[in-house]
C-alpha cells in the first residue's frame, strides 16, 4: 500500500482542521494506505533551528552556520533524533499532506519550523539538485488549509489578493524546490463564519476528493500557475 504522512498543525482536535485530518486518516486507511500523522502541537515539536539540532562536534566551531552544520551533520548521521525521525517519515512517504489554519498569509510557525529543520540540505535538496531534480522528486504534496477570510477576499481582485500568490512560497519555494510534485491545494474558506451545514459540506467535499486523489495530476509547477 501507499504511504502517507500528514503533517498537522492545530491545537484543538475538535477544530475543523482536526476533523479534516481525521477524515484523511480514515479515508486513506480505508484505501489500504499506511497513514502516519505528525501532530506538531501534541508532539511539542521544536520549531527553532538551533545548535541543538547537531549532535557532537561542529564542522566549524568558530562561526555557526545552520545550513552548513546541518548539511555536514546529515552526511555523518549527526542530526538530533527528532529530525532523523521526521526525515524517515518523509523518506518513506509517497504523499505528504500539510493540514493547518492559514496564519498571516502563511503556515503556523510550528509548521514553518518543521520545514526549516527537517528539509535540510543533503536530505531534501543539494544544489544544483533542486526544483525538478530536487532530492524528494518521487513524492507528492498537498496543502490543505482553512482561512479566516472569505473566498471573495482571496480572489484575484479581492482585498487579500489571489490565494495562489500565498501558495508560491509554500508550494513552489519549499515543496517544488525539493523536487516534490504538488497537487492542487484544498482550501476551506472562512469556516468560522459559515453555518454548521456549510462546515459539514466542507468535510464531505474533502472526503470525496480523497477517494480519487491518486488519479489527480500535479499542478503545472511554473510561475504562470501562480501569477497568470
Amino acid at each position: 500500500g501507499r504511504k502517507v504522512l500528514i503533517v498537522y498543525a492545530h491545537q484543538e482536535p475538535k477544530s475543523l482542521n482536526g476533523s479534516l485530518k481525521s477524515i484523511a486518516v480514515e479515508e486513506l486507511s480505508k484505501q489500504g494506505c499506511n497513514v502516519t500523522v505528525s501532530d506538531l502541537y501534541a508532539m511539542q515539536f521544536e520549531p527553532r533551528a538551533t545548535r541543538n539540532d547537531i549532535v557532537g562536534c561542529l564542522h566549524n566551531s568558530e562561526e555557526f552556520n545552520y545550513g552548513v552544520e546541518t548539511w555536514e551533520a546529515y552526511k555523518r548521521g549527526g542530526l538530533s533524533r527528532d529530525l532523523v525521525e521526521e526525515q524517515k517519515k518523509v523518506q518513506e512517504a509517497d504523499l505528504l499532506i500539510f493540514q493547518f489554519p492559514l496564519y498571516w498569509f502563511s503556515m503556523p510557525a510550528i509548521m514553518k519550523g518543521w520545514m526549516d529543520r527537517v528539509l535540510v540540505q543533503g536530505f531534501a535538496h543539494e544544489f544544483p539538485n533542486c526544483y525538478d531534480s530536487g532530492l524528494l522528486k518521487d513524492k507528492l504534496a498537498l496543502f490543505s488549509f482553512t482561512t479566516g477570510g472569505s473566498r471573495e477576499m482571496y480572489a484575484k481582485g479581492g482585498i487579500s489578493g489571489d490565494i495562489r500568490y500565498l501558495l508560491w512560497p509554500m508550494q513552489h519555494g519549499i515543496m517544488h524546490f525539493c523536487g516534490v510534485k504538488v497537487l492542487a491545494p484544498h482550501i476551506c474558506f472562512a469556516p468560522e463564519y459559515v453555518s454548521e451545514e456549510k462546515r459539514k459540506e466542507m468535510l464531505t467535499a474533502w472526503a470525496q476528493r480523497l477517494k480519487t486523489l491518486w488519479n489527480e495530476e500535479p499542478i503545472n509547477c511554473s510561475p504562470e500557475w501562480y501569477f497568470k
Side-chain angles (χ1 to χ4, degrees):
R2 294 181 173 102
K3 294 195 171 174
V4 181
L5 171 62
I6 301 174
V7 182
Y8 164 67
H10 200 287
Q11 309 88 333
E12 176 49 66
K14 295 195 211 97
S15 64
L16 191 81
N17 274 279
S19 299
L20 290 161
K21 180 262 297 173
S22 298
I23 284 168
V25 172
E26 190 182 335
E27 181 52 47
L28 292 165
S29 298
K30 259 193 238 166
Q31 294 173 21
C33 299
N34 187 326
V35 186
T36 303
V37 178
S38 283
D39 183 339
L40 300 182
Y41 286 105
M43 291 156 67
Q44 298 190 314
F45 185 81
E46 168 60 80
R48 294 170 300 177
T50 70
R51 162 74 179 85
N52 297 336
D53 294 348
I54 295 102
V55 177
C57 297
L58 291 175
H59 177 68
N60 177 359
S61 56
E62 299 297 307
E63 189 178 332
F64 184 73
N65 179 317
Y66 185 82
V68 170
E69 293 297 343
T70 49
W71 185 20
E72 292 296 334
Y74 176 74
K75 287 191 281 193
R76 64 177 164 80
L79 287 174
S80 61
R81 190 168 20 157
D82 60 337
L83 294 194
V84 173
E85 282 171 9
E86 292 306 298
Q87 287 175 344
K88 187 166 181 285
K89 294 176 196 175
V90 172
Q91 198 67 63
E92 290 176 351
D94 300 299
L95 168 66
L96 309 168
I97 295 178
F98 297 96
Q99 183 65 60
F100 60 98
L102 197 69
Y103 281 4
W104 295 118
F105 280 25
S106 188
M107 61 187 83
I110 199 165
M111 184 176 279
K112 177 59 166 58
W114 185 94
M115 304 281 184
D116 293 347
R117 295 181 63 226
V118 174
L119 304 176
V120 302
Q121 188 166 355
F123 170 69
H125 57 91
E126 193 159 4
F127 195 81
N129 294 319
C130 51
Y131 291 115
D132 290 342
S133 58
L135 302 181
L136 303 179
K137 61 180 176 286
D138 298 327
K139 303 187 185 303
L140 288 169
L142 193 166
F143 285 80
S144 171
F145 59 96
T146 57
T147 69
S150 65
R151 186 184 294 272
E152 293 69 37
M153 288 172 77
Y154 286 107
K156 202 159 200 170
I159 186 74
S160 299
D162 192 332
I163 193 80
R164 289 186 180 200
Y165 303 160
L166 313 189
L167 291 163
W168 171 255
M170 296 189 265
Q171 292 187 165
H172 187 76
I174 303 175
M175 284 295 113
H176 186 204
F177 186 83
C178 296
V180 181
K181 292 178 182 68
V182 182
L183 297 174
H186 197 85
I187 309 165
C188 293
F189 289 98
E192 286 179 61
Y193 303 104
V194 299
S195 65
E196 189 56 41
E197 192 181 339
K198 268 266 178 276
R199 280 196 290 277
K200 282 187 180 144
E201 282 171 21
M202 288 174 175
L203 297 175
T204 305
W206 177 227
Q208 284 304 117
R209 181 177 176 190
L210 288 163
K211 288 183 197 307
T212 55
L213 197 65
W214 301 103
N215 302 329
E216 290 185 19
E217 284 295 317
I219 64 167
N220 161 25
C221 268
S222 66
E224 290 75 38
W225 188 89
Y226 298 90
F227 301 112
K228 66 185 175 187

